[in-house]
Amino acid sequence: MTTFRISEAAALLGVSADTVRRWVDGGRLPASRDEHGHRLVPGAELAAFVRDQARGGGPSDHGERFSSARNRMRGIVTDVVRDGVMAQVEIQAGPFRVVSLMSREAADDLGLRVGVVAEAVVKSTNVVVEVSEPG
């Protein structure tokens, strides 16, 4: 199973390593220790945690901000749905949920499964911008 050190989990979540340590110490995020005493977070547990957090059910520290620079977002695969020809891949990159449709062959070749680190690279000629109220 894929596991992440505290610093790797922090980078994927867009928070500090201290924040992740507090979540682990508080029992909100499960972790174990390796033979050197380093804490490891299981990839599937991290994916479930970040999915819950993105839906508003997870812990939040005041002042915490997530940022997506440019159009390349590193995150964790939280869901993969495959059929005979296509695959739908969901990546949680900080607070951003990115869904990609690709061939099943491509998803299989990339080894995409829940808990794997992946980058979503967005290339688009159309960008829709919306606001809740005209300003």
Side-chain angles (χ1 to χ4, degrees):
M1 178 190 333
T2 303
T3 58
F4 300 96
R5 286 188 166 190
I6 295 292
S7 61
E8 294 171 318
L12 291 169
L13 296 173
V15 298
S16 71
D18 286 338
T19 296
V20 176
R21 280 188 202 92
R22 281 193 303 274
W23 290 341
V24 169
D25 292 341
R28 297 187 273 187
L29 184 62
S32 60
R33 292 197 183 261
D34 67 10
E35 64 273 11
H36 304 289
H38 298 124
R39 290 186 258 196
L40 300 174
V41 179
E45 294 287 341
L46 184 61
F49 177 84
V50 76
R51 185 174 36 237
D52 186 45
Q53 186 178 34
R55 292 182 179 143
S60 176
D61 285 354
H62 297 292
E64 183 177 291
R65 293 192 61 92
F66 293 91
S67 174
S68 168
R70 299 186 182 150
N71 57 354
R72 180 176 297 269
M73 295 171 279
R74 187 168 190 244
I76 186 168
V77 176
T78 56
D79 195 24
V80 180
V81 178
R82 291 175 166 89
D83 68 14
V85 177
M86 297 298 294
Q88 177 179 311
V89 179
E90 181 177 313
I91 298 171
Q92 193 70 40
F96 305 105
R97 177 178 166 257
V98 180
V99 178
S100 176
L101 300 176
M102 65 183 70
S103 71
R104 180 189 177 118
E105 180 181 4
D108 291 344
D109 287 349
L110 291 170
L112 296 176
R113 62 188 187 289
V114 171
V116 169
V117 175
E119 284 193 13
V121 181
V122 180
K123 172 79 172 150
S124 178
T125 56
N126 296 310
V127 176
V128 176
V129 177
E130 298 179 338
V131 295
S132 57
E133 296 178 305

